[in-house]
Amino acid sequence: MSHHASHEAVPLPSIEELQALYETYRQAYFDGRLPPVSDVTLEWSNRLTASAGLCKPQERIIRLSTHYHRKYPGEVGMTLLHEMIHLLVPGHGPAFRRWMEEIRRRGGRVARYARERATPRTIRWVYTCPCGQVYPRSRRLPHGGQAYRCGRCRGRLAERRLQPAGDCP
C-alpha cells in the first residue's frame, strides 16, 4: 500500500460532477422518489475519517470522505449510491438491502459497507481498571471516564493519555 502523500495527488470529482452523478443515479435507480439535486447538498469532507460517506436525511446532506476516495477513487459512485439510499432508509437493515438489490438488478454498483476505515484508527486514550482490563479509545471518555466501570470487575477506570507520536497503533 502506498503512503498517504500519494493519495493527495488523486483528483476528486468536483461538486458539479457529483451533482451530475446524483441526478443520473436518481433517474436510473430511484424512480423520482428522491429529491432533485437542487434540494440536496453534496460535499466532500476531510473530517470523515471512519466512514466513506455520511447522509443526514433530515437536512438532505450527503458527505463523502476525501480520505477514503483518494485511496479508492473508483468507489465514489458506489458510496454516493449508498448514501442516496439513506435519504430514504435509515440503517442497513432489510429495507436498505432491498434497495441495494434493486439497484444491482438495474445494473448499478452499490455496497453495504466500505472496504475499510477512511483512515487508520488512532488510539489516544487508554482506560485501565484494577483487574487489569484495558479499554483503548480514540476519543477521551466524558469526565475522564469517571462514570464508567469495568465490564469484568465493575471497578473504576484509570485514564491515561498516550503521547501524540506517530508510532501509536
Side-chain angles (χ1 to χ4, degrees):
M1 186 181 293
S2 57
H3 68 67
H4 183 72
S6 65
H7 300 312
E8 299 303 317
V10 176
L12 297 170
S14 68
I15 296 302
E16 293 74 22
E17 289 167 320
L18 286 180
Q19 290 170 330
L21 195 54
Y22 175 97
E23 267 309 310
T24 299
Y25 289 165
R26 184 174 85 91
Q27 291 170 20
Y29 307 119
F30 293 95
D31 301 326
R33 293 170 91 171
L34 288 183
V37 73
S38 56
D39 293 345
V40 177
T41 301
L42 300 173
E43 52 193 32
W44 288 106
S45 173
N46 291 318
R47 297 187 69 195
L48 285 178
T49 57
S51 63
L54 171 78
C55 179
K56 294 184 164 192
Q58 284 73 30
E59 295 101 319
R60 292 183 170 174
I61 295 171
I62 292 176
R63 290 192 182 117
L64 302 181
S65 168
T66 57
H67 304 289
Y68 186 85
H69 293 98
R70 282 196 178 108
K71 198 171 189 179
Y72 301 109
E75 294 189 14
V76 170
M78 288 176 63
T79 305
L80 181 58
L81 266 175
H82 177 112
E83 301 309 332
M84 288 172 75
I85 296 172
H86 283 311
L87 286 172
L88 299 170
V89 178
H92 298 108
F96 185 90
R97 288 194 296 276
R98 282 193 297 274
W99 271 106
M100 280 197 340
E101 288 163 15
E102 178 60 22
I103 289 167
R104 288 176 181 155
R105 191 182 65 73
R106 295 182 186 197
R109 286 181 62 231
V110 64
R112 192 168 172 201
Y113 298 114
R115 294 180 193 218
E116 62 186 11
R117 283 181 56 94
T119 61
R121 186 169 182 235
T122 303
I123 304 302
R124 292 186 178 94
W125 299 90
V126 174
Y127 296 86
T128 311
C129 82
C131 76
Q133 182 73 23
V134 177
Y135 300 93
R137 303 280 300 197
S138 296
R139 295 186 181 146
R140 184 175 188 241
L141 291 173
H143 311 292
Q146 298 288 314
Y148 293 80
R149 301 266 187 221
C150 171
R152 204 183 278 169
C153 74
R154 307 300 302 148
R156 287 192 183 273
L157 302 181
E159 176 183 78
R160 185 166 55 97
R161 170 81 158 109
L162 297 180
Q163 295 301 316
D167 58 335
C168 294

